[in-house]
Amino acid sequence: MSDVVVSKSLWGRLYNGQTSFDFYGKRRRGFGLSLALIVISIVSLFTRGVNLGIDFEGGVAWQVPASATMNVDAARSVLDDNGVETSSAKIQTLTSGTEEFIRIQVGDEPTEVRTAVQNQLAEEAGVSVDEVSVSSVSSSWGRTITEKAVRALIIFLVLVSMYIAWRFEWRMALAAILAMMHDVLVSVGIYSLTGFEVTPATIVAFLTILGFSLYDTIVVFDKVQDNVKRFSGTRVPVADIVNVSANQVLMRSLNTSIAAILPVLSLLVLGSGVFGAIALREFSLALLVGVTTGAYSSVFIATPLYAIFKEREPKFASLRGSHVTGTALQQMVVTGLPSGNRAVKRVEASSGEAQTADVSASAVLTHPPRPRKKRRR
Amino acid sequence: MSRRLATSLAIFLSVVALALGATFAAGNEPSLGLDLQGGVSVTQEPVGEYNSESLDIAVERIRERVDSLGVAEPEIIRQGDAIVVNLPGVENQDEAIRLVQVTGEVLLRPVLAATPITSNENPSASVPTADPGASSTVAPTDSGAPTDSGAPTSIAAPPISLTLAPPATATPGPSRRPMGTPTTTISAATVAPAPSDSSTSVPTESSTTVAADTSGSTTTVVSAEPTVDPNLAGGDPSDPTATVIARNADGSEIYQLGPAFASGEVFNSDAQADIIQGGWGVRVTLKGGAAGADLWNVGASQCFSGGATCPTRRMAIVLDGVVQSAPTVNQPSFSGGVDITGSFSESEAKDLARVLKSGALPVRLEVQAVQTVSPTLGDDSLQAAIIAGLIGVALVLLFMLFYYRTLALVVVGGLLVSGAIQWSVISLLSKTNGLALSLSGAAGIIVSIGVTVDSYVVFFEKLKDEVRAGRTMRNSAERSFKSAWRTIIAADIVSLIGAFTLWYLTVGSVRGFAFFLGLSTLCDMVVAWFFTRPTMLLIARGRRYGGGRALGVDSSSTGVASPAGGAA
């Protein structure tokens, strides 16, 4: 059917941008999977909640090097000695490389108690007072931080939606925001399920996810917009346009994700695993999950969603359900031209120079005539 | 065209190299945030009523205190209304809290004794006693408030100089202005309506003048007043009822001060520097009623009469244990306003006005968060982040090399250029603006590597498409950069919107992250336009890569390539 040689292997097709995955036709699988993930996240959020750190709830946290005399029980008794309520205290052992730490977290306590506990912890652990680190955040400040972050987030979403609606179209804005919320929900769900503590670093990670998800989606939509223009003179269903675009940028999406995931993976495995920086662990884990879902959602969620919205336009409504798959789709992906009777027969060029035969049709369709450059002479 | 590209590339590269060289030459390097260095971070927020003036003053006061303690590279940031003080290297939390807790409360204390610390200002004693004349003549013209009854001012001045302010006679000599301590006079500027003044028939009311001499540098002052032993221990300066020892701002005079009879809250928050009696002075109005004028007048009359509670007849305006000014009180009772005049320079007058303004509505700062980061933890995290980051970058580059072959060298170059720019900018801002690279910032940069690389991926993928469609490398490079640039801009603008919104609206580490996100996004755009574009266009023109083999795309047989052995 086609004169263009299509690689036999999947890798070859990927490498050359010749894949023909029917993202639109298989959209229900993606939606189903995401829906399941979101339901799990929401259920977990309501039943287990998230483990907010003291930065958001307020409270005091001590961290003391663990030793023979300093363990979870010893820490608990120190709290008891100082009249601190231990029932709600979170006491855990953290491992950082070769060292172990005991981390104790309780609600708001006055300065005197903070210092007393710090001193006693140092004494029991046999270290100097300086080695016991204390953090305290008043609950009102915690609330302020949370409120500010939420407000910033809402304003950010509004601004970005406006930008996308202006630069592309409102349907894309809607689809991109929905896909992004999906990513954040799934990431938050993982935090809820695993019970990891949400710290400011986590929020930073979530914001990165959010930004990355949008970024990724926009690159895909840029291609979609290109193709919508390119096919504007033809009767091609949105589904085809979307499928073509998604396949054309598939390798880009994969490459970008790999490029983004590699450093994060290195942070996670080497930074926190081998070198034992605990501060890096949760951060990089959140990022890993987020970047992965971000890449996934831009192709499997945002793009089909956009197609669904776009199909409501009168121009495309009548074409619904007539999208092509298989080799016909592949043909469109490879040539960037509508399939069927309009398909242009491409002449295989024998040299490295530009083909001459296909200039007529494809050149006209693929790019508008270039205005004459004035600067030249 | 080629030459232009080459020139612009050369200029850009030399600018970057210069910036980096200058950074190294100046020895600038990014200062490390608290979480990387260890130390104490204290966040305070004002509670209750306050004005932005008093908050500014509180920040300055904190900075002075921290600086005087010699903490290395302290970071004092105002985030909205919150004041974050990061003290690297400080390990004692209580000490840190004590250090940063300022009230901005202005206390008015009678001066029991004053002694100049430096004695080399004696000549000034000979300054002619021009004061009475000056004050009496100038005050009426000056009390520009519409309701003023200017007349009484003339009454005020002469008695003052006679009765209570022998030292003040030395006041206005312009020759003294350059010297450290201003010679100050307080006089009243009535803002209260004239009719009420006359009806109440308080003679001094409408335009009392307080003449004062803070300098104490005159020999007359020294001899006339009891001296202060600098080694004398005073009470807690923040305790209004204590008798304390204090110095003035430039340390030229030391005072023994009695219990405060009032705080700066007796004034309205309207103090402003103005030209009074031909020189710079401060004019402020008193609040009415028991909490304002009444309280002030109790102190004023005590000082005016020069009894045991206020033998020097001077009243010190004390902020945070430092005497801002100690004018002599020239009349026993005030009603509407108070003028403080003397040999102020413009900036001194403005400073004093600011102090009074903030003292009128002192800010009460409450410690909201205290965080101690142990330095060992910081050290470990830093090393881990650096090593992991470098390995991550190396992996990305390996992947690029595998996928895009020789073209990956452009990516390497781009990342190097981008790294050089970021290093220079962060170093510069560390030095000038006290920006510190925190762990979340560092991680943000590592993550941004992904975004930077993506610009190349977008570009190279488009390039491949074009080459595959049968265009020459040269033609493809131009077309694909154009379309890739559009995509990069669209995507980067979203990042920038995010970075700006977060930076503007949040506090703490999120803010730091937003800053570095914004910086690296801008860097991405700059590098794409000034480095990638000319480099790629020049490469594409060269004979070597004309065929497009460098991309792994063989344009001679459209799309056959199954490059890496074609794993199925």
Side-chain angles (χ1 to χ4, degrees), chain A residues 264-300:
Chain A
V264 175
L265 208 60
S266 160
L267 272 186
L268 180 66
V269 176
L270 292 172
S272 68
V274 179
F275 302 116
I278 341 165
L280 294 176
R281 190 186 62 203
E282 283 155 24
F283 183 84
S284 43
L285 190 73
L287 279 179
L288 189 65
V289 173
V291 170
T292 319
T293 53
Y296 155 82
S297 73
S298 57
V299 172
F300 290 91

Side-chain angles (χ1 to χ4, degrees), chain B residues 28-29 31 424-435:
Chain B
N28 292 354
E29 52 179 38
S31 59
S424 308
V425 171
I426 295 171
S427 303
L428 186 69
L429 288 179
S430 289
K431 184 143 195 202
T432 56
N433 288 25
L435 172 94

Side-chain angles (χ1 to χ4, degrees), chain A residues 4-7 9-12 14-18 54-55 63 96 99 101 111 114-115 118 130-142 144-145 148-149 151-153 155-156 159-160 163-164 167-168 200-201 203-204 207-208 211-212 214-216 218-219 222-223 225-226 229 248 251-256 258-260 262-264 266-267 270-272 275-280 283 287 291 346-355 358 363 366-367 370 373 375-376, chain B residues 1 4 43-45 79-82 84 91-94 97 366-377 380-381 383-385 387-389 391-393 395-396 399-400 402-405 439-440 443-444 446-447 449-451 453-455 457-458 461-462 464-465 468-472 474-475 478-479 482-483 486-495 497-499 501-502 505-507 509-510 513 524 551-553 555-568:
Chain A
V4 175
V5 183
V6 173
S7 289
S9 68
L10 176 65
W11 167 246
L14 266 175
Y15 187 83
N16 288 307
Q18 295 168 330
I54 59 168
D55 290 276
Q63 193 165 318
S96 163
E99 282 182 282
F101 290 95
T111 319
R114 283 208 299 264
T115 320
Q118 185 185 9
D130 296 340
E131 284 180 60
V132 182
S133 77
V134 190
S135 306
S136 73
V137 177
S138 76
S139 49
S140 64
W141 177 247
T144 318
I145 287 218
K148 279 188 171 157
R151 200 182 55 190
L153 197 64
I155 293 177
F156 165 68
L159 285 178
V160 164
Y163 174 74
I164 300 177
R167 172 74 173 70
F168 298 100
I203 300 298
V204 166
L207 292 170
T208 315
F212 194 84
L214 279 172
Y215 180 96
D216 211 37
I218 282 174
V219 173
D222 194 55
K223 194 75 186 178
Q225 199 195 26
D226 258 9
K229 274 189 203 142
Q248 282 174 342
M251 204 55 222
R252 200 276 340 176
S253 285
L254 280 177
N255 275 350
T256 301
I258 292 171
L262 279 178
V264 175
S266 160
L267 272 186
L270 292 172
S272 68
F275 302 116
I278 341 165
L280 294 176
F283 183 84
L287 279 179
V291 170
R346 301 186 72 143
V347 177
E348 239 182 299
S350 50
S351 73
E353 279 311 298
Q355 296 138 311
D358 72 342
T366 52
H367 56 93
R370 191 174 59 186
K373 276 192 182 146
R375 228 184 295 149
R376 273 284 165 88
Chain B
M1 193 60 180
R4 242 187 33 221
T43 305
Q44 301 181 95
E45 215 186 20
Q79 299 183 337
D81 285 340
V84 181
E91 280 158 5
N92 188 330
Q93 210 175 46
D94 299 327
I97 294 178
E366 213 160 77
V367 174
Q368 298 288 354
V370 185
Q371 251 143 359
T372 311
V373 182
S374 75
T376 45
L377 182 71
D380 288 351
S381 311
Q383 269 185 351
I387 297 174
I391 292 176
V393 174
L395 284 176
V396 169
F399 173 68
M400 288 283 112
F402 163 73
Y403 195 82
Y404 291 115
R405 322 254 174 108
L439 190 62
S440 56
I446 294 173
V447 171
I449 293 167
V451 173
V453 168
D454 179 67
S455 304
V457 174
V458 170
E461 285 298 311
K462 297 216 166 160
K464 263 167 63 179
D465 282 350
R468 212 177 283 128
R471 294 200 172 78
T472 58
R474 178 185 177 142
N475 197 359
E478 271 177 49
R479 289 168 53 91
K482 239 178 238 163
S483 84
R486 275 186 47 232
T487 311
I488 293 170
I489 289 286
D492 277 356
I493 282 181
V494 170
S495 295
I497 292 175
T501 324
L502 293 176
L505 292 173
T506 59
V507 290
S509 58
V510 173
F513 165 79
D524 180 35
L551 282 168
V553 172
S555 55
S556 57
S557 54
T558 320
V560 182
S562 166

Side-chain angles (χ1 to χ4, degrees), chain A residues 47-68:
Chain A
T47 53
R48 298 171 56 101
V50 276
N51 177 10
L52 286 177
I54 59 168
D55 290 276
F56 307 100
E57 284 189 322
V60 188
W62 294 271
Q63 193 165 318
V64 55
S67 65

Side-chain angles (χ1 to χ4, degrees), chain B residues 96-128:
Chain B
I97 294 178
R98 217 174 309 118
L99 197 63
V100 301
Q101 260 184 334
V102 297
T103 55
E105 189 178 37
V106 169
L107 290 175
L108 301 172
R109 291 174 181 274
V111 178
L112 301 178
T115 311
I117 293 171
T118 49
S119 54
N120 54 358
E121 289 178 27
N122 284 350
S124 59
S126 61
V127 172

